[in-house]
Amino acid sequence: MSKRYYTLNEELRREFGSKVMKLSLDGGFTCPNRDGTIGSKGCIFCGEKGSGEFAGSKLVSIEEQIEEQKKLLSKKWDSNKYIAYFQNFTNTYGPINRIRTLYYEAINTQGVVGLAVATRPDCLEEEILNLLSEINKKTYLWIELGLQTIHEKSAKLIRRGYPLSIYEEAIEKLKRENIKVVTHIILGIPGESKDDMLNTVRFVADTKTWGIKLHSLYIQRDTDLYDYYMKNPFPIMSREEYVSLVVDAIEMLPRDMVIHRITGDGKRELLHEPKWSLDKLKVLSMIDKELKIRNFLET
C-alpha cells in the first residue's frame, strides 16, 4: 500500500492488475428532491449540475462522453481500463428501460471494466435492485449513497429528504444482493460538533459498507448553501482542523474499508469557501503527514 489507509486506487489495482481511471458521466437524470416528488430545491449544497461539476455533457451519448473523458484523463494517467461513473443527480431514478439502456451502453464500451452509480437510499425500488443485481453478475459494480450525516437536525438543514432508517434499509437491500456500497459523509455541516461528525463516521464504520467518501463542506456560489451562508455566517473549518478530523475518522474505520475520497474539491470559479480546499495535494500531503506523526499503520 502506498498510503496508510486503503485507497480506491489500491483496491482497483488489486482487482484489475493496473491503474483504472474513473470516468464521470451525466445520464441526464433528475432527482425526487428536485422534481417535486420530495422537494423542489434539492439538497442545500447541490449546484446546478448536482455533484457532477466535472462530469461529461448530457447533450451527447454515454459512449461519446466516455470517449471524451478518456481523452481528457489520458493527459494525466496512462491507462486503458475504466470505471463508468454515473455521477450527476440520482442515477436510479427514472424509467427502468432507459436506465437499463444507459448502464449497458456504458459497460459495453471498449475499456470499461466496471460501473459506479451515485444515487439516493430512497430510490432503490425492486425493479432497480433486480437490474443492479443483474449487472453485478456481469461487471465490477458499486453503488454510492449520499448519507452526509446521521443527525436528523442536520439532515433537515441540508434538505436531505429521507430519515436515517431509509439509509439503513437500503444498506441491507444492497448487502442481500452482494452489491458493494460507498457511503458519502460531509464533514463541517453547520451546527455539528466534532463529536457529531465522528459519530456519523462511527455509524458508517459499524455498518461495514465496502467504501466511504469523506467530503469537506464547501460552499459554491450556485447553491442555496451560499445564500444561507451569506445570511447566517457559520464557522468554516481551517485546513489544520479538517486534517486532524479526517485522521480521527480514518483511525476509527475498518482497515479494509475502501476510502474513495478524503476531501472535497469544488469548481474553482464557483467556490466561495473554504479556499484552502482548492489545494487538494496540500490537504492530502498534510493528512499523510499527520497519519505518520500518529504512527497510524506502517506502509
Side-chain angles (χ1 to χ4, degrees):
M1 293 174 63
S2 61
K3 298 281 188 179
R4 292 176 182 245
Y5 51 92
Y6 193 34
T7 67
L8 177 62
N9 182 49
E10 297 285 352
E11 161 68 11
L12 295 179
R13 283 185 180 275
R14 182 192 65 78
E15 182 71 25
F16 297 104
S18 63
K19 174 71 180 178
V20 180
M21 293 192 291
K22 192 168 64 172
L23 309 177
S24 295
L25 310 174
D26 187 340
F29 291 94
T30 183
C31 174
N33 205 10
R34 280 180 172 265
D35 70 1
T37 303
I38 295 172
S40 59
K41 294 183 177 181
C43 294
I44 195 171
F45 51 79
C46 195
E48 293 177 3
K49 291 194 68 177
S51 60
E53 287 87 2
F54 304 101
S57 170
K58 64 183 179 182
L59 300 178
V60 301
S61 71
I62 292 301
E63 185 175 1
E64 288 175 289
Q65 287 186 51
I66 288 173
E67 293 306 319
E68 288 174 358
Q69 290 279 304
K70 283 181 184 179
K71 291 176 184 176
L72 182 66
L73 293 177
S74 66
K75 300 172 185 176
K76 186 176 181 181
W77 304 107
D78 181 20
S79 177
N80 60 358
K81 295 177 182 178
Y82 310 94
I83 300 292
Y85 177 35
F86 283 90
Q87 183 179 16
N88 292 44
F89 299 116
T90 305
N91 295 276
T92 60
Y93 185 64
I96 189 66
N97 290 336
R98 179 176 181 273
I99 296 172
R100 175 186 293 275
T101 297
L102 292 173
Y103 289 179
Y104 272 96
E105 183 179 356
I107 66 174
N108 288 330
T109 301
Q110 184 177 3
V112 173
V113 296
L115 182 70
V117 177
T119 190
R120 293 170 56 90
D122 55 356
C123 291
L124 292 169
E125 287 76 15
E126 185 176 359
E127 60 182 4
I128 282 291
L129 284 170
N130 290 339
L131 173 60
L132 294 174
S133 181
E134 174 188 320
I135 289 180
N136 194 42
K137 295 179 176 67
K138 296 177 181 293
T139 193
Y140 190 87
L141 172 70
W142 76 75
I143 304 301
E144 302 194 4
L145 300 179
L147 174 64
Q148 321 310 356
T149 179
I150 62 170
H151 306 289
E152 292 304 324
K153 183 178 179 181
S154 297
K156 289 179 181 177
L157 174 67
I158 65 175
R159 303 197 303 250
R160 189 178 67 190
Y162 67 84
L164 183 60
S165 59
I166 295 295
Y167 167 82
E168 293 176 295
E169 290 171 12
I171 290 291
E172 292 308 312
K173 288 177 183 178
L174 292 164
K175 279 184 177 180
R176 283 197 294 270
E177 300 297 333
N178 199 32
I179 295 171
K180 294 181 281 293
V181 179
V182 179
T183 300
H184 291 220
I185 293 175
I186 292 178
L187 302 175
I189 293 173
E192 288 200 354
S193 67
K194 178 179 178 180
D195 284 345
D196 289 335
M197 291 181 267
L198 291 178
N199 283 336
T200 293
V201 174
R202 187 174 292 107
F203 176 88
V204 174
D206 289 343
T207 67
K208 294 181 171 59
T209 59
W210 172 72
I212 190 170
K213 278 187 173 181
L214 299 170
H215 292 257
S216 51
L217 180 79
Y218 58 85
I219 302 168
Q220 289 194 172
R221 284 186 288 274
D222 64 338
T223 66
D224 286 348
L225 180 59
Y226 173 77
D227 296 332
Y228 178 87
Y229 181 72
M230 291 294 99
K231 295 174 184 175
N232 308 279
F234 55 85
I236 302 291
M237 273 192 287
S238 69
R239 182 164 54 193
E240 290 72 22
E241 288 172 326
Y242 182 75
V243 166
S244 178
L245 182 65
V246 166
V247 174
D248 289 342
I250 290 173
E251 288 179 328
M252 65 176 56
L253 295 173
R255 299 285 77 82
D256 61 349
M257 185 176 282
V258 183
I259 299 180
H260 288 233
R261 180 184 289 272
I262 53 177
T263 186
D265 51 344
K267 207 162 187 177
R268 181 177 294 270
E269 57 266 32
L270 293 174
L271 183 70
H272 181 69
E273 287 286 359
K275 296 294 195 302
W276 57 256
S277 66
L278 290 172
D279 192 350
K280 187 176 180 180
L281 291 179
K282 176 68 173 178
V283 177
L284 295 176
S285 175
M286 289 177 66
I287 290 170
D288 290 342
K289 183 178 180 181
E290 181 64 19
L291 285 166
K292 186 176 181 179
I293 290 171
R294 296 194 197 184
N295 198 31
F296 179 74
L297 297 183
E298 289 296 332
T299 55

